[in-house]
Amino acid sequence: MKSNYKFSNLCGTVYRQGNIVFTPDGSSVLSPVGNRVSVFDLVNNKSRTFAFENRHNISAIALSPDANILVSVDEEGRALLVNFKRGIILHHFNFKKPVEDIQFSPDGKFIAVTHGSHVQVWKTPNHLLREFAPFVLHRTYTGHHDDVLSIRWSADSRFFLTTSRDMTARLFTLDPLEGYRPKTFTGHRDIILRAYFSTDHKTIYTVSRDGAVFEWCQKPSDQSVKDDSDEEMLSDNEPTGPDAIALTRWGIAKRHYFNQAHTKVTSCTFHPLSNLLVVGFSSGVFGLWELPDFVNIHTLSISQERISSCAISLSGEWLAFGAKKLGQLLVWEWQSESYVLKQQGHYFDMNTLSYSADGQNVATGGDDGKVKVWNTTSGFCFVTFSEHTAAVSTVEFAKQGQVLFSASLDGTVRGYDLIRYRNFRTFTSPTPVQFSALAVDPSGEVVAAGSTDSFEVFMWSVQTGKLLDVLTGHEAPISCLAFSPTGNILVSGSWDESVRLWSVFGRSRQVDPFMLGSEVLAVAFRPDGRELAVSTLNGQIAFWDTEKHKQTSLIEGRKDISGGRKQDDRVTAANSASGKAFNSLAYTADGSCLIGGGNSKYVVIYDAREGVMVKKFQISENLSLDGTEEYLDSRKAGEADIDDRGDESELEDRLDTTLPGARNGDMSKRKYRPEARTKCVRFSPTGRSWAAASTDGLLIYSLDDAITFDPFDLTVDLTPSSILATLQRKEYLKALVMAFRLNEKPLIQQAYESVPPSDINLLARELPVVYVSAMLKFVAGHMESSVHMEFDLLWARALLLAHGRYLRDRSTEFASVFRALQRGISDFQMAIAKT
């Protein structure tokens, strides 16, 4: 099995903190998600997350005007210079202080960065050249007496405005002007959040946190005040030329107030071309005002918490808002008053996930009691079910049909119809219990759930909703359940150090207990149902033969899964007992490998037959999370225990509403720093990707075939030029086989697309059997991004007709290929249905 899985996407988290940025063409919006950056394509309805990671959570991002360079800065002031189109890190840089705002100049030649009470302007590095020290400091600007909050450039890139916590705004020139001293704008009674230039640069607007907007224009001269013709004298004395902004004597022309009761301004942005001021308030309300007349176009409540960031597209049509506390990202078209994008992650931790049978959708359940279904292709959540009133412990798709089941600690198991998007069935026990595990039989007719209170397993009929049976025998809470792929055996794992196999549909009602040396945490059946993998609290994975009822092998995984020292750990990561067990297990589609994750920063893939580790993945390198460092710096040990929430500017951030004792959920977290851990891992049915429900969100890793060079049956005369020469001679089958032997995807695609449709049936019959699997896999992958719909369907039909018996006899081996093919065909069906 290939193990070259690469980070592909991050779902389940759409916004964490920092500023939101539109691309220059306005078709995409960039959002910081923890220590990564996600790009949401609003036109094609897709999202992607860059693979690079900052050291800590990102506090500010900036995109160059030509969309070539992306700069992301974390909370510690460490920046990454990234090629935006390729997603490749060009350079690391440390600003050595937390950065509140970073802005490219309109001509793209300079980057202005807040640096405490100073402002630094750096020359923009060249993204095409690799330099040893690409960041060159142009100049440092001083004058503010407290932290600078924002920077705004003029259109000609020669001046910029800054605002600060000292309740002033200042106007600086990029290069020194003789006799010029930076102008100071005072008069506000609260922190000035932002300052903006008008289109003609004859007006400056400043917005403060208490809801005041001041309009600054040129002061009238003493003569014009005495004279009756003020306007004529004012126009005569107006400075002109490129330095007009610096030579203007600025004064307050008008004062405007938003008059929103008991709220403060938390974010704002301005669009000079249309004179639109967009303001976000602490109450979750945003407003749209037209300047300079200060006309309120409309006000709308879009969130229950404060709006942390807002942005406007270059055309002025779309507004983007981010709410930090709820993790919301909204894109609003103000002219039609409709949502372009509305996404929200789980409010608390993500507990569980499940892939649909075709691998197109992923369902997740969280501590907030919500069940969300995500599309793996687009990365968007398209339905949210909020019927549960407590944390969701497990979600499972039925193997057949569009049905999803979820178990919760509120004592209910619910079934959801994914066609009509409704909760069609609710299952309850005779006495109230909390459900911690769930399993659905392969036919989708029976659902089973295990309880933590009564130590029983309940079984219901999906058709009638009636309770069929109650299985008793365990002496501790049920931790996991699974039906055999054949459907005749139900396995249950418990904290009483045993696994029980129940013949639930047989007449004998036989129960076979397997005793283990520690508490059972997770179980997983091999796809053929003949082997069972069991994870225990002592870090072991035991393999049992379900027919002979005996243990076949054992993996000692304590050292593989352990890693990461938490801030309050008194012992090193190697000696710590916590996080050294697998909480979740899953087999690959062909049953050759096993993946496991737990309360650590690692996810491990094992070879199930040999019992050796194939690869270890680190899910996060974010130092803002607890448990990502192997060794702690003793010099910082005292700082780690200090809660710095008292330094926050907002009152609600300074309040401590946590409860001591429990650890799940926001209101009961005693620790302020979340831990890096994986609560659930699952392989896609196609075998080409796997997903992990982690602290950062839903991480998806997929195979990267484009880069890997994996030749098969290679000879000296087999070269790309010889393949192209064979294609020119119209020897299509020979060229196709040669391309598969060289195994380079661009060559395979060229040979594949060169085949005339009339010759497809002949080539499919003559194709050697050894290449049938690779050919089907390529056709399935080609369907995902191809526009040649009929061509792909002709190939799939011809291959299945020509080699049907061979594929049927090896159906288990080719299960992942069949699922990928089914997914591609269903995509085509949906595309045709829409048209």
Side-chain angles (χ1 to χ4, degrees):
M1 176 198 161
K2 292 183 180 179
S3 60
N4 59 325
Y5 289 94
K6 302 287 184 182
F7 175 79
S8 173
N9 204 358
L10 174 63
C11 303
T13 308
V14 291
Y15 175 76
R16 278 284 169 86
Q17 64 177 30
N19 60 310
I20 301 169
V21 175
F22 272 100
T23 53
D25 60 359
S27 63
S28 302
V29 63
L30 278 66
S31 172
V33 284
N35 65 333
R36 300 179 188 268
V37 178
S38 290
V39 182
F40 297 91
D41 190 335
L42 305 175
V43 176
N44 299 317
N45 195 36
K46 283 189 176 182
S47 70
R48 61 189 174 99
T49 305
F50 288 114
F52 67 83
E53 292 185 72
N54 285 72
R55 286 167 58 94
H56 293 81
N57 286 334
I58 295 173
S59 62
I61 58 174
L63 186 64
S64 63
D66 57 2
N68 283 327
I69 297 177
L70 172 69
V71 180
S72 65
V73 189
D74 64 19
E75 296 168 333
E76 302 292 319
R78 295 179 182 270
L80 295 180
L81 185 73
V82 181
N83 185 317
F84 177 68
K85 294 178 180 177
R86 297 291 304 277
I88 297 172
I89 298 175
L90 302 177
H91 192 70
H92 297 256
F93 190 75
N94 188 1
F95 289 115
K96 299 181 180 178
K97 276 191 178 182
V99 173
E100 294 286 345
D101 194 15
I102 178 169
Q103 295 289 336
F104 278 90
S105 61
D107 60 7
K109 295 181 180 179
F110 296 95
I111 305 174
V113 183
T114 64
H115 194 259
S117 60
H118 300 166
V119 175
Q120 292 181 340
V121 174
W122 300 78
K123 294 180 180 178
T124 304
N126 192 331
H127 69 285
L128 299 176
L129 297 177
R130 296 303 299 270
E131 299 172 287
F132 176 72
F135 278 87
V136 177
L137 181 63
H138 174 71
R139 198 171 166 216
T140 301
Y141 302 83
T142 62
H144 284 291
H145 304 291
D146 206 339
D147 290 343
V148 180
L149 295 179
S150 72
I151 301 168
R152 186 76 170 192
W153 286 88
S154 63
D156 58 1
S157 302
R158 298 182 68 244
F159 306 91
F160 58 88
L161 283 166
T162 61
T163 64
S164 170
R165 290 185 182 277
D166 62 9
M167 297 185 287
T168 65
R170 285 178 179 261
L171 175 63
F172 293 97
T173 60
L174 180 65
D175 296 310
L177 283 178
E178 186 177 352
Y180 176 78
R181 293 178 61 188
K183 301 292 178 66
T184 304
F185 301 84
T186 60
H188 283 279
R189 298 184 178 182
D190 205 343
I191 295 170
I192 301 179
L193 296 178
R194 294 287 187 272
Y196 304 103
F197 288 104
S198 63
T199 312
D200 57 4
H201 294 85
K202 293 181 180 179
T203 308
I204 290 176
Y205 302 102
T206 54
V207 184
S208 65
R209 191 172 60 176
D210 59 359
V213 180
F214 286 6
E215 182 181 331
W216 304 77
C217 296
Q218 183 193 355
K219 283 183 180 180
S221 63
D222 296 335
Q223 296 177 356
S224 63
V225 172
K226 297 176 183 178
D227 198 351
D228 294 335
S229 56
D230 292 344
E231 295 182 0
E232 295 180 6
M233 292 297 296
L234 187 61
S235 60
D236 291 341
N237 293 332
E238 279 185 1
T240 57
D243 300 330
I245 299 175
L247 299 176
T248 302
R249 296 178 66 244
W250 297 98
I252 298 177
K254 292 180 183 177
R255 291 179 174 89
H256 306 287
Y257 299 94
F258 295 119
N259 295 325
Q260 296 280 333
H262 309 295
T263 61
K264 290 185 177 182
V265 177
T266 54
S267 61
C268 62
T269 188
F270 181 66
H271 189 253
L273 295 177
S274 56
N275 287 323
L276 289 178
L277 179 67
V278 185
V279 183
F281 296 95
S282 57
S283 58
V285 174
F286 89 89
L288 196 60
W289 277 267
E290 187 176 4
L291 298 176
D293 299 329
F294 202 69
V295 177
N296 186 3
I297 297 175
H298 68 232
T299 306
L300 184 71
S301 176
I302 57 173
S303 179
Q304 297 175 347
E305 299 294 336
R306 77 168 190 263
I307 299 173
S308 309
S309 176
C310 60
I312 188 165
S313 62
L314 202 62
S315 62
E317 296 175 350
W318 290 347
L319 315 175
F321 302 96
K324 175 181 175 180
K325 191 170 182 180
L326 294 178
Q328 286 179 318
L329 179 65
L330 310 165
V331 179
W332 173 264
E333 188 175 35
W334 66 273
Q335 290 172 331
S336 63
E337 298 190 8
S338 60
Y339 283 109
V340 179
L341 174 71
K342 188 177 183 181
Q343 291 287 302
Q344 179 180 350
H346 287 283
Y347 184 47
F348 298 145
D349 290 343
M350 190 182 293
N351 288 334
T352 178
L353 72 97
S354 176
Y355 268 101
S356 61
D358 56 3
Q360 283 188 322
N361 301 323
V362 179
T364 59
D367 275 339
D368 56 358
K370 292 181 180 178
V371 176
K372 291 178 175 286
V373 186
W374 308 81
N375 185 287
T376 55
T377 305
S378 67
F380 288 129
C381 171
F382 61 89
V383 62
T384 300
F385 299 105
S386 54
E387 282 81 7
H388 284 295
T389 57
V392 177
S393 54
T394 317
V395 293
E396 283 289 339
F397 274 99
K399 297 295 184 290
Q400 300 173 1
Q402 295 288 322
V403 180
L404 173 67
F405 296 95
S406 64
S408 170
L409 298 182
D410 64 1
T412 63
V413 174
R414 296 179 182 268
Y416 302 100
D417 182 354
L418 293 183
I419 297 176
R420 298 176 181 85
Y421 299 141
R422 64 187 181 94
N423 175 206
F424 73 92
R425 192 76 76 220
T426 302
F427 310 97
T428 57
S429 56
T431 56
V433 294
Q434 291 183 315
F435 293 119
S436 57
L438 177 73
V440 183
D441 82 316
S443 67
E445 297 291 330
V446 176
V447 61
S451 74
T452 58
D453 307 320
S454 60
F455 318 146
E456 297 169 329
V457 179
F458 300 87
M459 295 177 60
W460 296 272
S461 167
V462 176
Q463 292 281 354
T464 62
K466 292 182 178 179
L467 183 66
L468 299 177
D469 203 353
V470 180
L471 308 178
T472 59
H474 282 293
E475 299 173 356
I478 311 293
S479 58
C480 48
L481 287 175
F483 270 101
S484 166
T486 58
N488 56 352
I489 295 176
L490 172 67
V491 63
S492 61
S494 170
W495 290 359
D496 62 5
E497 303 183 1
S498 72
V499 169
R500 291 175 178 265
L501 271 67
W502 313 80
S503 299
V504 289
F505 301 125
R507 291 184 178 181
S508 62
R509 315 287 288 177
Q510 183 180 353
V511 181
D512 298 307
F514 296 163
M515 301 307 297
L516 296 105
S518 185
E519 289 86 346
V520 177
L521 299 180
V523 295
F525 269 106
R526 201 169 66 186
D528 59 3
R530 296 178 180 177
E531 186 178 78
L532 178 70
V534 183
S535 166
T536 53
L537 191 60
N538 58 6
Q540 296 178 342
I541 300 176
F543 295 90
W544 294 77
D545 190 318
T546 56
E547 294 178 349
K548 299 179 181 178
H549 295 180
K550 66 178 184 179
Q551 186 174 334
T552 56
S553 61
L554 183 73
I555 294 177
E556 287 283 353
R558 286 176 60 85
K559 292 185 178 179
D560 298 332
I561 189 66
S562 66
R565 183 175 178 180
K566 300 176 180 61
Q567 292 287 0
D568 58 349
D569 283 352
R570 299 292 176 239
V571 294
T572 61
N575 297 325
S576 175
S578 64
K580 290 192 174 182
F582 296 95
N583 291 341
S584 179
L585 295 176
Y587 272 96
T588 56
D590 57 0
S592 61
C593 288
L594 184 75
I595 189 170
N599 288 338
S600 83
K601 60 179 180 178
Y602 292 118
V603 171
V604 187
I605 294 181
Y606 290 100
D607 187 301
R609 296 183 181 88
E610 302 296 331
V612 296
M613 185 175 67
V614 176
K615 196 165 185 179
K616 183 192 287 190
F617 299 90
Q618 183 171 339
I619 59 169
S620 180
E621 297 178 0
N622 189 358
L623 299 182
S624 297
L625 302 178
D626 217 1
T628 51
E629 290 184 283
E630 292 292 333
Y631 304 100
L632 298 182
D633 190 345
S634 59
R635 293 171 296 180
K636 300 179 181 178
E639 301 175 8
D641 300 327
I642 298 175
D643 193 346
D644 58 354
R645 278 178 288 179
D647 299 332
E648 295 287 346
S649 59
E650 297 292 336
L651 175 62
E652 58 192 56
D653 290 336
R654 294 197 296 270
L655 296 176
D656 184 6
T657 56
T658 54
L659 300 175
R663 297 180 58 153
N664 288 335
D666 188 70
M667 292 300 289
S668 55
K669 279 182 183 171
R670 198 58 195 149
K671 296 180 182 176
Y672 190 55
R673 294 182 64 188
E675 296 177 10
R677 57 184 176 182
T678 306
K679 288 197 171 183
C680 186
V681 290
R682 290 290 182 268
F683 256 104
S684 166
T686 62
R688 296 191 55 81
S689 62
W690 58 268
S694 70
T695 313
D696 285 332
L698 182 65
L699 300 171
I700 298 178
Y701 287 74
S702 59
L703 284 173
D704 189 6
D705 289 340
I707 301 172
T708 308
F709 178 66
D710 184 18
F712 175 76
D713 194 16
L714 195 62
T715 57
V716 177
D717 58 343
L718 186 59
T719 61
S721 57
S722 64
I723 294 174
L724 295 176
T726 308
L727 273 177
Q728 288 180 352
R729 296 195 300 269
K730 297 186 178 181
E731 299 176 9
Y732 301 114
L733 180 61
K734 186 177 179 182
L736 202 57
V737 171
M738 289 171 69
F740 274 118
R741 285 168 62 188
L742 197 59
N743 203 14
E744 283 197 18
K745 193 172 182 181
L747 288 173
I748 298 173
Q749 182 167 344
Q750 188 170 353
Y752 171 79
E753 292 180 351
S754 300
V755 177
S758 57
D759 294 351
I760 290 177
N761 288 327
L762 176 63
L763 264 66
R765 286 198 302 270
E766 298 298 325
L767 186 71
V769 175
V770 69
Y771 300 111
V772 170
S773 173
M775 187 68 194
L776 275 175
K777 190 179 295 185
F778 175 79
V779 172
H782 195 262
M783 285 179 173
E784 294 181 6
S785 57
S786 171
V787 295
H788 308 294
M789 191 178 295
E790 185 182 2
F791 188 75
D792 289 335
L793 291 174
L794 286 172
W795 263 110
R797 179 176 176 273
L799 287 169
L800 292 174
L801 287 175
H803 304 279
R805 182 170 296 178
Y806 170 80
L807 295 169
R808 186 186 62 189
D809 295 341
R810 293 161 179 79
S811 57
T812 306
E813 182 182 346
F814 298 137
S816 62
V817 181
F818 291 150
R819 291 193 186 100
L821 200 63
Q822 180 189 359
R823 175 180 173 177
I825 294 171
S826 60
D827 276 349
F828 282 169
Q829 182 183 359
M830 290 174 63
I832 294 170
K834 287 180 181 178
T835 55

